[in-house]
Amino acid sequence: MRILLAEDERSLSRAVIALLEKNNYSADAVYDGQEALEYLEAGNYDALILDLMMPKMDGITVLRTLRERGNPIPVLILTAKSEVDDKVLGLDTGANDYLTKPFSTQELMARIRAMTRSQSGGQVTSRLTFGNITLDQATFELSSPTGSLSPPSAFWNGSGAMTAMWS
């Protein structure tokens, strides 16, 4: 699972990235809101951890832009803003969860697991879509409205990994 962290406080960002990687997540860090949007447009992320108070573009604007563009990525707001009105604004703008700083690392990890689990009924999606073409990353089936293409079963071993093609 790949997570984008948008946090302008670099020491906290390094600590959260280390925590995510220790828990077997792939993670990238950006340090302002504009960069967050650029990374999300260019990359394939499964979740976003978003600070609200960032340079260039604040987190609420990032979130609003994502939702206006129809991006359903799960978003956890991680911020020092702890007022009820701030929480309501973040959640009503489209965040899936809201956690205030300082925070427990155990709670952060539990909230990430819950947020990403709930997006697809308990399982994280393995499908990538570009236009009208879809790739199932689990089976490597490529499909479009006119048909689908699957790799021959001879290329796969029992664990789903590609077997050696050359001897």
Side-chain angles (χ1 to χ4, degrees):
M1 173 157 310
R2 193 167 173 210
I3 297 176
L4 181 65
L5 171 64
E7 168 63 61
D8 64 318
E9 190 179 316
R10 290 184 188 257
S11 60
L12 177 59
S13 181
R14 283 190 300 273
V16 172
I17 291 293
L19 176 68
L20 292 169
E21 290 174 347
K22 179 182 177 203
N23 284 274
N24 300 313
Y25 290 96
S26 173
D28 295 322
V30 294
Y31 306 104
D32 65 66
Q34 186 61 45
E35 196 175 23
L37 281 179
E38 291 168 4
Y39 269 63
L40 288 165
E41 288 174 8
N44 178 31
Y45 292 96
D46 301 298
L48 169 64
I49 300 172
L50 181 64
D51 185 18
L52 293 183
M53 298 180 288
M54 292 186 296
K56 295 188 182 176
M57 183 183 296
D58 66 88
I60 291 295
T61 303
V62 170
L63 183 57
R64 187 174 287 122
T65 303
L66 285 174
R67 297 310 187 225
E68 286 172 355
R69 293 178 181 173
N71 189 332
I73 189 170
V75 176
L76 169 68
I77 292 176
L78 183 62
T79 184
K81 297 181 100 175
S82 60
E83 296 296 319
V84 171
D85 288 343
D86 295 319
K87 294 176 185 180
V88 170
L89 176 62
L91 293 167
D92 283 349
T93 302
N96 299 76
D97 203 352
Y98 194 109
L99 183 61
T100 57
K101 302 171 189 171
F103 58 91
S104 156
T105 57
Q106 289 178 315
E107 183 179 4
L108 173 62
M109 295 313 301
R111 286 174 181 265
I112 291 169
R113 288 190 300 272
M115 178 178 69
T116 56
R117 177 176 57 239
S118 67
Q119 285 307 107
S120 57
Q123 295 183 359
V124 175
T125 183
S126 65
R127 295 181 176 263
L128 295 176
T129 301
F130 184 76
N132 65 354
I133 298 173
T134 301
L135 171 66
D136 186 321
Q137 295 177 93
T139 64
F140 292 96
E141 178 182 24
L142 191 61
S143 59
S144 74
T146 59
S148 64
L149 178 64
S150 297
S153 60
F155 291 151
W156 303 95
N157 65 22
S159 68
M162 200 174 226
T163 57
M165 293 177 62
W166 334 138
S167 302

